Amino acid sequence: MPFIELQSNLPAGQFSEAFLKRLCSSTAAALGKPEDRMNVVVTPGLPMLIAGSTSPCVILSVSAIGVTDTAEKNKEHSAKIFEFLTKELDLNQDSLWAPAWTCLRGDPS
């Protein structure tokens, strides 16, 4: 089950139920995973500073089995997700940061 965690200094009002559903759909499509297996958590209203600025920003963490195991895949996924977030939240790419693309592996046995 992919886990998407979005942290932001934007107010809670920016993240409606409709936004959560669109974020789920967009990240599922980007990762090639079914929507009904996605887990999405949004934490708004945080005191945040990115690259020396407290301007509106987002930090995104993605954990998923088999889709975040190479830099090439992560670049592809992040481009699609960043496009969604910049349009939805009216942010520029400098306001988005994805530090944690975690590769979770299943039991090898």
Side-chain angles (χ1 to χ4, degrees), residues 60-83:
L60 181 74
S61 298
V62 177
S63 300
I65 295 172
V67 296
T68 57
D69 54 348
T70 68
E72 293 78 25
K73 286 181 186 177
N74 292 343
K75 286 179 187 178
E76 180 182 326
H77 301 322
S78 63
K80 293 174 185 175
I81 297 169
F82 278 23
E83 180 180 356

Side-chain angles (χ1 to χ4, degrees), residues 12-30:
Q14 296 275 135
F15 304 103
S16 66
E17 182 177 337
F19 170 83
L20 289 173
K21 290 179 179 181
R22 290 190 304 272
L23 176 59
C24 177
S25 179
S26 176
T27 54

Side-chain angles (χ1 to χ4, degrees), residues 8-95:
S8 180
N9 60 358
L10 293 168
Q14 296 275 135
F15 304 103
S16 66
E17 182 177 337
F19 170 83
L20 289 173
K21 290 179 179 181
R22 290 190 304 272
L23 176 59
C24 177
S25 179
S26 176
T27 54
L31 299 174
K33 297 289 185 176
E35 285 185 47
D36 65 348
R37 304 297 292 170
M38 300 295 293
N39 297 288
V40 177
V41 175
V42 174
T43 308
L46 297 172
M48 295 175 65
L49 180 132
I50 292 182
S53 174
T54 58
S55 296
C57 60
V58 167
I59 294 177
L60 181 74
S61 298
V62 177
S63 300
I65 295 172
V67 296
T68 57
D69 54 348
T70 68
E72 293 78 25
K73 286 181 186 177
N74 292 343
K75 286 179 187 178
E76 180 182 326
H77 301 322
S78 63
K80 293 174 185 175
I81 297 169
F82 278 23
E83 180 180 356
F84 167 81
L85 291 173
T86 55
K87 288 179 182 176
E88 286 282 325
L89 300 176
D90 195 28
L91 298 171
N92 64 48
Q93 292 242 344
D94 294 337
S95 300

